[in-house]
Amino acid sequence: MNQRSLPFNSVVPREMEDPDRFIDLDRLFSVIVRRARLVGAFVVLFMALGAVYLVFATSFYTSMTQILLDENLSKYAEEQATPQNSQLLDTQMASAVEILKSGELALRVVDKMKLDDNDTVLNPPRSPFGVFKDWLRSVTGVFSFGSDISEEAARNGRRQKAAALIQQGLAVERVNRSSVVALAYRSSDPQLAAAIVRGYADAYLNDQLNANFDATERASVWLQERLADLRQRSQVASLEVEKYRSENGLTLARGELMSEQQLADLNSQLIIAQADTASASARFKQFQAIVDQGPETAVKNATISAKEGDNSVIRELRTRYLAVSKREQEVTQSFSADHPQAVSLRKEKSDVGRQIFQELEQLTASYRNEYEVARSREASLRENIEGTTGRNSDANLSLVHLRELEQKSAALKTLYETYLNRYEQASQQRSFPIAKARVISTAGVPTSPSSPKKTLVLALSAVLGMMAGGAFAAFQEFRERTFRLESDVRSILGHRSFGYVPLIGPRQLTTTDRVRARLMKGKTPQPTTQAAEPLPFERVSRIVLDAPRSSFAETFRNAKLACDRMLHGNGSRVIGIVSAVPDEGKSIIAANFAALLAASGKKTLLIDADIRKPGLSKMINPPPKTGLVEALIGESSWPAGIKIDQKTKLAIFPVGGEAGAKSEPYDSHELLASPAMADLIDNARKSFDYVIVDLAALAPVVDGKAFSPLADGFIYVAEWGRTPSRLVRDLLNSEPQINGKILGVILNKTDMNELAKYSDFGGAEHYRHRFEKYYVENTGTYRRTEAA
């Protein structure tokens, strides 16, 4: 055996996803593309269900009216409108909505319109679930034995039921932030819907009028009782005031007590008297000072104010005195002091001075008398004020209690007048039939149903179908744990991928295919590939030769090139073809790979070593009589069992004939691990350039593991979209001897039409349609044949 440590044991670097990418848009787009048909099927299904619902659903009609709550409607009945803020308006609108929804208003509408006898109201169209509930209730009612119900109780029950049902069909809401309330009713009868809405509007307006009238009536009765009591108490308080005033002599003049007015007058007079006394004292002291200076000094130095009363004589005498003095000086200067005229002038001057002094003495005496009179008057006023003050103090003490009585009387009078005004207003408002609401939009008879809305139902069905289809598609994507792309092989297994191989022969029917065949054709589908006749070996092994320029052949060329490079230096190369589970198509891969090697001029031996399930041997016609089993147990030589394909010159060594069929299945791994098998491989290396060994699946049996020491490398076959990737990864990780010799992986039974849908925008599979320029596909040779 030619064995050595292989340089290709190093695995291909795994492609790790970028952890910083939160959403892979390319992958998301590819998921949408490949699941579009599934989502579309769900959309069509849900839209069909929506159409069925529209066909059988009951049509309902909605009639609507609008009521405006307007405070200005009562501005002629009220003295002034109360300003409203936004919070108060919101409260009023919420109260109006609750009143319209109330059961009392619903009962009024029922009684007015006699809806308790209306079958449309009492027995509206019901859903299937509602019908079932009523049927169940009727069934359970058979076993209950209750007392008989009176006619009045039954009628009241119908009233309550009708009110409850119209409340269910009623919709009340405020229109945006306005003072308008929208009232709508939904019914299967358009005439009934309009009538109930109008009845509700009339009932609400009447309720407003009745509420205002009842409120003013109750207020008037209460105010009338209070007015009688307040009138009596106000009169008693007024009499107490007048009686106390007369008993204590608290006479008023111009709103004040007489003693207070007298005290004020005396104070005014005292102020004037004090001023007069001060003025007289000043004049007296002035003249007294002049007189005290003596005749000569008084005449020369005294200054008499021009404002003083009756002093014309003094002014004339002083003028004369000054003129005589001047004349005297002139004569004395001209002649002498002894001149007779000077003597005469001095004598005249002395007489005039004496007269002036006498006048000053008379004025001083007059001013003394005035001063005395003023002082006496001031003292008298002070005595009067003291007496009046004493009397006023007693009056003030009585006045405190009087004011208390007056305040009580005034308060009762004011309260009586206020209640009287309110009573008059309430009496007048009872006569105004004005409600603070009006209908601004009259309810009309609807001409088209409001529900179900066809466009909305279909659109919602489409959306729900899209959501359900998307959820199911996401579920399928999350369940996707198989190999779809070459990048999956590299990232999960760490091995290189040789490419894709399409399905050869009839594919296995799925459950969907069976259902489609039964529904569309009414026939039972044909048996699957397990029950079908096996294809002849010549047809299966020559596909790669019949389509030499196809992508199918290119995959095997890629595998051959990789084997030549990685096994360079080996004179003869033993390559095992393995898979994880049965029915992955490894036998067809082994046959075509061996045929390609043989056609290239290499001596190639194809050994069917899947002893327990020999797929290649069953394709050979006529069936071989000897083969691998017979050679290993010594019944024949190994060259005797080889079959040669005349076209490709491929040597084929089948499992064997009757001896192989009789061999026990659990002996197969012992045969493959026996020295006879090692000798057979050594002899094959000497005669052939390539030895291709088709081995059993690795997961169910150990045959491949037993043969692994004899192989130079392995080509791993995985079924596209079916083989679980975790199974393959765990299987290879548990067998490092096989994992280290993996040359590459081939994705078999690939749906080439669906392949591009699993690729991202930049993936090679996305551009396979552009690769067709290099390929010449012979679809008649290896097309995917549908089951009949």
Side-chain angles (χ1 to χ4, degrees), residues 64-68 175 180-183 197 438-443:
M64 186 183 70
T65 185
Q66 290 182 332
I67 301 174
L68 172 64
V175 180
V180 178
V181 176
L183 178 67
V197 170
R438 61 188 177 93
V439 177
I440 61 174
S441 177
T442 306

Side-chain angles (χ1 to χ4, degrees), residues 691-750:
V691 178
I692 308 301
V693 182
D694 182 15
L695 297 168
L698 297 178
V701 295
V702 298
D703 293 2
K705 303 172 187 177
F707 181 79
S708 60
L710 304 177
D712 296 330
F714 290 96
I715 295 178
Y716 201 95
V717 178
E719 184 173 350
W720 183 87
R722 188 172 181 180
T723 304
S725 58
R726 182 176 178 179
L727 172 64
V728 177
R729 182 189 62 192
D730 295 343
L731 187 62
L732 293 181
N733 290 337
S734 64
E735 298 296 333
Q737 188 174 11
I738 297 178
N739 191 27
K741 294 182 179 182
I742 296 296
L743 303 176
V745 180
I746 292 178
L747 296 179
N748 193 23
K749 300 183 182 181
T750 304

Side-chain angles (χ1 to χ4, degrees), residues 767-785:
Y767 298 95
R768 289 190 66 87
H769 64 283
R770 301 179 65 178
F771 299 167
E772 294 176 356
K773 297 179 180 179
Y774 290 91
Y775 300 143
V776 177
E777 302 289 351
N778 190 354
T779 58
T781 303
Y782 61 91
R783 68 169 180 260
R784 299 178 58 183
T785 306

Side-chain angles (χ1 to χ4, degrees), residues 643-660:
K643 305 293 181 181
I644 304 298
D645 185 0
Q646 298 301 324
K647 182 177 181 180
T648 61
K649 305 302 179 181
L650 173 64
I652 306 167
F653 194 21
V655 169
E658 296 180 358

Side-chain angles (χ1 to χ4, degrees), residues 31-52:
V31 170
I32 293 174
V33 170
R34 66 174 170 266
R35 300 297 180 183
R37 291 183 180 179
L38 176 63
V39 176
F42 271 88
V43 171
V44 172
L45 174 62
F46 275 73
M47 291 188 68
L49 294 177
V52 172

